[in-house]
Amino acid sequence: MGFAAVSTISMANVFLRSSYHHQKDVNLGSCMRKETWGFNLYLPKLKYQSRISFCCKNESIDFEERTSPNEITLGSYAPIALLYAKVKKEIEQCYELIHRLGRGVVYLGSSRMGPGHLHYIKTFELGNKIATLLDCTTWSGAGPGLMDAATQGALQAGKSVGGFKIGKEAGEWTATNFHPYLPSESYLTCRFFSARKHGLVDAVVRCRSSERTAVVVLPGGIGTLDEVFEIMALIQLERIGSQLPVPLLLMNYDSFYTNLLEFLNDCEKWGTVSKGEVESLWKICNNNSEALDYLAEFYGLSTIETNRKDSESSEHLRINHG
């Protein structure tokens, strides 16, 4: 079957024409210089495979098995096929790491707030107490700042930690793909943001009532907002892939997110979101106690033991980090 495709690369247009044979005529045309160049390509016979178009069809999907890597179709051209294969491999590696360490709580937050920042201290305490309360794996982007605080808190509690590190992160850990203290088997360095996001979402999916997971949104910048709004959209559209509800907590330390919340209220007034829609997607917490109480109620647990250790962990952190 013949095909035609048009693609724009910078200022050049690429036109492909295919006959019923394997010979492909390719014309390259420059929009700036009004020139064309022609040559022939010999490509292997294409194999076509039907795919579900989620944007056009509203069909129920079974999420018992994570099938996202298999939904990536290898293209007909080697560079694209190679790129897709690499993304697919990274997604599969993320799923394998989650299967090995177990699902749990994912922390999203700034990589720029270091140990001397007040929010770092609060995040350390929260990571420590949630890990103790839910007895689950602590997940993050495995970077510096508040991600490091949550990781350190969970490690002090003696709980498992895992992470999806990105090759380039804002802050002091940009020059290397290696984590300064976590063992290599507990984190994965991703080249592609899409693979990292697949991992962060899958780490909180609940398939059984015994699984205790959550998404905790800490103060952060552009990357944090990108991640949290994507997760919110998945929850809103019921496409996060979880059979059971997943709590989403927004930590509004020192009114950090107050202006954002006011903007979302304006969206409600303008009609771009329904009344009460945003509130139904997450829980706003002004401090760690509100977050712990909410999670304890959500999972039917007691926070007595966790609260008892609060002052001890706080004093320990202040001594070590000043």
Side-chain angles (χ1 to χ4, degrees):
M1 175 178 293
F3 70 91
V6 178
S7 175
T8 301
I9 305 177
S10 294
M11 297 304 296
N13 290 336
V14 182
F15 304 88
L16 293 94
R17 294 284 188 268
S18 171
S19 65
Y20 286 92
H21 304 290
H22 297 310
Q23 179 175 338
K24 313 296 187 255
D25 298 323
V26 179
N27 292 324
L28 298 179
S30 172
C31 299
M32 297 294 293
R33 302 176 61 184
K34 298 182 179 179
E35 296 177 352
T36 60
W37 306 272
F39 56 92
N40 295 329
L41 290 177
Y42 289 87
L43 300 176
K45 186 176 180 181
L46 301 178
K47 294 183 180 181
Y48 296 90
Q49 186 175 0
S50 62
R51 295 285 175 187
I52 296 176
S53 178
F54 295 124
C55 62
C56 299
K57 297 182 180 180
N58 184 16
E59 301 179 9
S60 61
I61 301 173
D62 184 4
F63 285 96
E64 290 184 3
E65 181 180 1
R66 306 300 289 185
T67 59
S68 299
N70 299 324
E71 295 299 322
I72 299 178
T73 307
L74 297 182
S76 304
Y77 309 102
I80 299 177
L82 180 61
L83 175 63
Y84 285 169
K86 289 181 177 179
V87 176
K88 176 181 176 181
K89 181 180 179 181
E90 277 199 357
I91 294 174
E92 291 173 338
Q93 289 175 331
C94 289
Y95 292 168
E96 290 171 359
L97 181 62
I98 295 168
H99 178 74
R100 180 156 48 83
L101 298 182
R103 293 185 168 105
V105 178
V106 167
Y107 291 86
L108 310 174
S110 173
S111 63
R112 303 174 188 269
M113 295 179 173
H117 200 285
L118 179 59
H119 292 173
Y120 185 101
I121 297 175
K122 293 181 178 181
T123 299
F124 177 94
E125 296 171 354
L126 185 64
N128 181 282
K129 290 183 286 185
I130 288 182
T132 301
L133 177 67
L134 300 186
D135 190 24
C136 64
T137 302
T138 293
W139 292 93
S140 73
L146 301 188
M147 292 176 284
D148 176 62
T151 299
Q152 293 275 18
L155 288 175
Q156 190 189 80
K159 304 300 180 181
S160 175
V161 299
F164 302 104
K165 186 169 169 48
I166 197 68
K168 185 176 183 180
E169 185 79 69
E172 59 185 291
W173 298 349
T174 57
T176 175
N177 291 337
F178 298 100
H179 197 280
Y181 58 83
L182 288 179
S184 59
E185 64 271 14
S186 66
Y187 70 94
L188 177 68
T189 300
C190 297
R191 177 184 176 187
F192 304 99
F193 272 100
S194 57
R196 186 195 203 193
K197 288 182 176 180
H198 272 80
L200 292 173
V201 170
D202 189 75
V204 299
V205 167
R206 298 180 63 217
C207 298
R208 298 181 296 274
S209 59
S210 59
E211 291 179 316
R212 299 169 183 169
T213 71
V215 179
V216 177
V217 184
L218 304 160
I222 294 174
T224 301
L225 293 175
D226 168 57
E227 292 164 345
V228 64
F229 278 109
E230 183 162 355
I231 291 177
M232 283 183 69
L234 292 174
I235 295 176
Q236 177 195 42
L237 300 175
E238 298 181 354
R239 300 302 301 275
I240 196 170
S242 182
Q243 297 179 10
L244 297 172
V246 176
L248 172 61
L249 287 68
L250 182 72
M251 302 306 300
N252 191 29
Y253 288 149
D254 301 312
S255 302
F256 182 89
Y257 284 115
T258 297
N259 290 338
L260 174 64
L261 296 174
E262 291 176 355
F263 166 75
L264 293 174
N265 288 334
D266 288 339
C267 289
E268 185 176 297
K269 295 176 182 178
W270 283 101
T272 55
V273 296
S274 301
K275 184 175 179 59
E277 183 177 14
V278 176
E279 289 83 350
S280 68
L281 299 176
W282 58 17
K283 170 67 176 178
I284 309 300
C285 300
N286 295 309
N287 52 59
N288 291 349
S289 296
E290 291 180 6
L292 288 167
D293 289 342
Y294 177 77
L295 289 175
E297 180 180 0
F298 188 95
Y299 287 111
L301 304 171
S302 172
T303 60
I304 297 177
E305 181 64 18
T306 303
N307 289 333
R308 187 180 68 82
K309 296 181 180 180
D310 182 20
S311 59
E312 297 177 4
S313 62
S314 299
E315 184 62 25
H316 173 83
L317 187 64
R318 289 186 174 90
I319 292 175
N320 285 275
H321 295 286

